[in-house]
């Protein structure tokens, strides 16, 4: 007897349809044949499935049986086929009468007792079930709430193999989970990450961070040890606006595909913040592996990627950031397949001006030789710097600032201004793919940032004196538009443009 069920295979953050075919009753001695490009985890499913069947009170296979995971040219990985294979065996052996079983998308890992265990990619599975018009989606109870965030699909939480069999046969009714994405985002609370009121001094640095977050611009801070660079970076999440519902679902889809389920309401409404160590590999940063998967830059999508001690990262790891910073997505090609992953993150980087860190510090003597300083700075290439919108110095904090007991401006006040600026940008780019000034196309720059002769001459003079590239030209205009949004100005004025230009002054002063 032949049984056919519907499941899926994960490829990046997308789910592709897979049909699980179980043919029982073939002539010959007992043998189980599993085909369809399964990996080691899928090949081991027979041991888990047989134990789960026995401990759930069902019989096993008696004759030669073939299990096919179609299409045969798509690699299958992970234990998510345990539940559909077990149910297929029950149907093929006549132990389960479920004529509409093929109308459901089924996935889940089984323990030896028959209980279900969560699988990654629940959100992608729900999207596939909705696109294919499935009657419902059967998932382990621990990851079903994540799938219920997708509207338009019935998600049934399954606790065990026996419960799934009784539900499909009509012996035990089961209510689907209610769609709850909007409620989850509404209830999400900001993650405690410190407050900008705790930052002493550094008024120019605080202003640069506010501009960067308001327009989702990339930022690099250069200063001696102890000047507060890391302290400021850790407080960036406290002033970031909450993600929209669509952004939250994109964030969740990436983390789910990576096996880092966010799931609950308290986490769904937060933007991700990734802080990889400088020893990270190229694959860990950009993504990949034998079966391509998301890396740190994709896990930071719609959030922040903080790279502390930037020159300490491997040169090869930094250089692979060029294309993702420009396009907001990365394409990874491996022998197992090719995937395109989103990575629209905000880069926040910090570094010292020299190996010892005290170059230009009036209170400490720099011990570095000119060749050492040159080699240190050369670890960061010009093309990478061009893709960073704001370059700002973080000088050492004076003793008088440290002793000042008066708190600075709080994160809540800064966040209110940033939220207002973001709302202006969303209204400006409504109906387009851009959601912030940093994502403007060349055509949108010309449309939304008209330059009169005075502003044009001012920008030309700055470009010539600072020897900036054409890419820096566009980025200065984007930052100027953000500064104007913070000032609630409809047009970019000369003060806005001058402030944007001074954020590029480190381009040549420090690095070249």
């Amino acid at each position: 007897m032949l049984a056919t069920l519907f499941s899926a295979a994960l490829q990046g953050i997308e789910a592709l349809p897979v049909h699980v075919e179980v043919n029982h009753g073939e002539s010959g001695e007992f043998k189980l044949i599993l085909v369809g490009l399964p990996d080691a985890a899928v090949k081991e499913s027979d041991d888990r499935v047989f134990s789960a069947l026995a401990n759930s009170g069902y019989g096993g296979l008696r004759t030669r049986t073939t299990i096919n995971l179609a299409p045969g040219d798509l690699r299958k990985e992970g234990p998510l086929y345990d539940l559909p294979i077990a149910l297929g065996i029950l149907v093929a052996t006549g132990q389960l009468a479920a004529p509409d079983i093929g109308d459901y998308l089924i996935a889940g890992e089984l323990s030896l007792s028959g209980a279900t265990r969560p699988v990654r990619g629940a959100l992608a599975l729900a999207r596939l079930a909705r696109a294919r018009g499935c009657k419902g989606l059967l998932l382990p109870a621990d990851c079903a709430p994540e799938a219920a965030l997708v509207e338009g699909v019935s998600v049934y939480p399954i606790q065990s193999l026996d419960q799934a069999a009784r539900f499909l046969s009509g012996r035990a009714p089961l209510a689907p989970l209610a769609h709850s994405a909007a409620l989850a985002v509404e209830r999400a609370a900001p993650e405690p990450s410190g407050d900008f009121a705790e930052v002493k001094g550094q008024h120019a640095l605080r202003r640069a961070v506010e501009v960067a977050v308001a327009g989702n611009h990339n930022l690099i801070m250069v200063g001696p040890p102890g000047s507060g660079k890391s302290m400021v970076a850790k407080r960036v999440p406290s002033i970031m606006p909450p993600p929209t519902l669509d952004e939250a679902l994109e964030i969740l889809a990436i983390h789910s595909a990576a096996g880092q389920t966010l799931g609950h309401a308290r986490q769904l409404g937060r933007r991700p913040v990734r802080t990889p160590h400088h020893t990270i590999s190229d694959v860990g940063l950009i993504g990949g592996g034998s079966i391509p998967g998301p890396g740190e830059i994709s896990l930071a999508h719609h959030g922040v990627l903080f790279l502390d001690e930037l020159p300490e990262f491997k040169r090869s790891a930094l250089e692979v950031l060029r294309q993702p910073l420009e396009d907001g997505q990365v394409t990874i090609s491996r022998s197992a397949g090719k995937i395109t992953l989103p990575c629209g993150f905000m880069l926040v980087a910090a570094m010292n001006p020299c190996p010892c860190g005290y170059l230009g510090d009036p209170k400490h003597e720099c011990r570095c030789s000119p060749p050492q300083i040159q080699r240190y700075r050369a670890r960061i290439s010009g093309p990478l710097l061009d893709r960073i919108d704001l370059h700002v110095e973080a000088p050492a904090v004076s003793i008088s600032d440290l002793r000042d007991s008066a708190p600075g401006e709080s994160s809540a006040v800064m966040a209110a201004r940033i939220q207002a600026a973001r709302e202006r940008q969303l209204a400006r780019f409504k109906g387009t793919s851009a959601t912030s000034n940093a994502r403007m196309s060349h055509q949108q720059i010309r449309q939304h940032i008209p330059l009169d002769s005075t502003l044009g001459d001012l920008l030309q003079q700055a470009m010539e004196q600072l020897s900036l590239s054409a890419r820096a030209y566009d980025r200065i205009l984007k930052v100027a538009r953000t500064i104007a949004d913070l000032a609630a100005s409809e047009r970019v004025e000369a003060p806005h443009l001058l402030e944007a230009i001074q954020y590029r002054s480190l381009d040549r002063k420090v690095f070249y």
Side-chain angles (χ1 to χ4, degrees):
M1 183 175 179
L2 175 65
T4 302
L5 295 83
F6 183 47
S7 190
L10 293 176
Q11 191 171 66
I13 62 172
E14 301 295 330
L16 302 178
V18 169
H19 289 89
V20 180
E21 301 172 332
V22 181
N23 189 43
H24 179 69
E26 302 173 6
S27 59
E29 61 180 13
F30 169 73
K31 184 178 182 181
L32 178 65
I33 303 172
L34 181 61
V35 296
L37 278 184
D39 72 346
V42 180
K43 292 177 181 178
E44 293 172 351
S45 65
D46 55 348
D47 296 321
R48 293 190 297 270
V49 167
F50 292 156
S51 295
L53 288 170
N55 289 317
S56 300
Y58 297 102
L61 301 173
R62 298 181 299 274
T63 64
R64 180 185 175 93
T65 302
T66 301
I67 300 175
N68 179 37
L69 306 177
D73 59 349
L74 177 64
R75 186 174 179 84
K76 322 301 186 306
E77 63 164 340
L80 61 87
Y81 303 103
D82 290 1
L83 183 58
I85 287 176
L87 292 171
I89 289 175
L90 292 180
V91 173
T93 56
Q95 301 178 73
L96 173 63
D100 60 347
I101 193 172
D103 297 333
Y104 294 89
L105 194 157
I106 305 172
E109 180 182 355
L110 292 175
S111 68
L112 299 184
S113 66
T116 58
R117 288 176 173 165
V119 294
R120 62 187 181 93
L123 200 68
L125 297 174
R127 286 176 169 173
L128 176 62
R130 181 179 63 183
R132 304 280 291 193
C134 294
K135 188 175 181 179
L137 171 63
L138 272 62
L139 281 179
D142 288 343
C143 61
E146 178 184 317
L149 297 172
V150 177
E151 194 173 8
V153 60
S154 298
V155 181
Y156 297 91
I158 302 300
Q159 299 281 357
S160 65
L161 170 61
D162 184 54
Q163 183 190 28
R166 288 186 289 111
F167 166 69
L168 291 170
S169 64
R171 291 176 289 155
L174 183 63
L177 295 178
H179 171 66
S180 57
L183 177 64
V185 172
E186 181 182 349
R187 290 184 176 180
E191 184 176 3
S193 57
D195 195 291
F196 268 94
E198 303 163 349
V199 179
K200 302 292 185 179
Q202 299 294 13
H203 302 292
L205 179 57
R206 290 164 57 103
R207 169 63 176 176
V209 170
E210 182 176 337
V211 172
V213 175
N216 201 37
H217 302 288
N218 301 317
L219 167 74
I220 184 170
M221 301 174 285
V222 184
S227 59
K229 302 186 297 296
S230 298
M231 183 180 184
V232 167
K234 290 177 181 178
R235 282 152 180 76
V236 168
S238 68
I239 61 174
M240 295 195 74
T244 63
L245 179 57
D246 290 338
E247 289 176 339
L249 292 178
E250 287 183 34
I251 294 168
L252 180 58
I254 296 172
H255 283 255
S256 177
Q260 302 178 13
T261 305
L262 301 179
H264 302 293
R266 63 182 180 85
Q267 295 172 308
L268 182 60
R270 297 174 183 166
R271 294 185 181 271
V273 179
R274 308 295 298 186
T275 57
H277 193 260
H278 62 78
T279 57
I280 191 172
S281 66
D282 302 7
V283 171
L285 187 62
I286 204 75
S290 57
I291 299 176
E296 289 291 332
I297 63 172
S298 294
L299 294 173
H301 184 54
H302 290 314
V304 175
L305 178 69
F306 176 46
L307 302 183
D308 200 5
E309 302 297 342
L310 187 66
E312 301 299 330
F313 284 79
K314 292 192 301 181
R315 178 68 178 265
S316 58
L318 292 179
E319 292 308 305
V320 297
L321 290 177
R322 291 190 195 178
Q323 183 251 341
L325 284 172
E326 195 76 22
D327 301 337
Q329 63 180 21
V330 59
T331 300
I332 303 170
S333 298
R334 298 291 186 271
S335 58
K338 182 176 75 172
I339 60 172
T340 298
L341 298 170
C343 56
F345 59 90
M346 171 185 165
L347 175 64
V348 177
M351 64 171 288
N352 297 328
C354 66
C356 78
Y358 294 113
L359 179 65
D361 191 331
K363 297 182 179 180
H364 296 85
E365 182 181 356
C366 177
R367 303 184 303 271
C368 306
S369 65
Q372 287 176 322
I373 297 173
Q374 185 178 7
R375 286 194 299 269
Y376 183 77
R377 296 172 180 175
R379 296 177 186 175
I380 305 174
S381 67
L384 178 60
L385 282 175
D386 259 355
R387 289 166 170 83
I388 300 179
D389 304 31
L390 288 85
H391 307 162
V392 60
E393 285 183 293
V397 182
S398 65
I399 301 300
S400 59
D401 285 336
L402 291 176
R403 292 186 61 186
D404 186 5
S405 60
E409 195 174 45
S410 68
S411 293
V413 175
M414 297 173 65
R417 291 196 297 265
I418 290 170
Q419 182 64 37
R422 283 288 184 104
E423 289 174 357
R424 293 186 184 94
Q425 295 168 49
L426 290 174
R428 180 183 304 126
F429 303 128
K430 187 176 181 180
T432 68
S433 59
T435 57
S436 63
N437 288 333
R439 300 300 173 193
M440 278 193 289
S441 65
H442 293 287
Q443 182 179 0
Q444 289 170 328
I445 292 175
R446 305 297 180 262
Q447 177 183 354
H448 298 298
I449 315 175
L451 297 179
D452 56 26
S453 58
T454 302
L455 293 180
D457 293 342
L458 184 63
L459 184 54
Q460 180 179 350
Q461 183 181 2
M463 295 289 295
E464 293 173 351
Q465 289 184 357
L466 296 174
S467 302
L468 300 179
S469 67
R471 182 182 287 110
Y473 180 93
D474 282 351
R475 294 189 179 271
I476 288 174
L477 291 177
K478 292 178 182 179
V479 173
R481 179 64 265 177
T482 299
I483 296 170
D485 288 337
L486 284 170
S489 173
E490 291 298 326
R491 290 182 55 85
V492 174
E493 305 292 346
H496 309 144
L497 185 60
L498 287 171
E499 183 178 354
I501 291 172
Q502 65 95 13
Y503 288 131
R504 303 294 302 197
S505 61
L506 292 181
D507 230 344
R508 298 299 182 267
K509 175 182 172 185
V510 170
F511 296 99
Y512 302 110

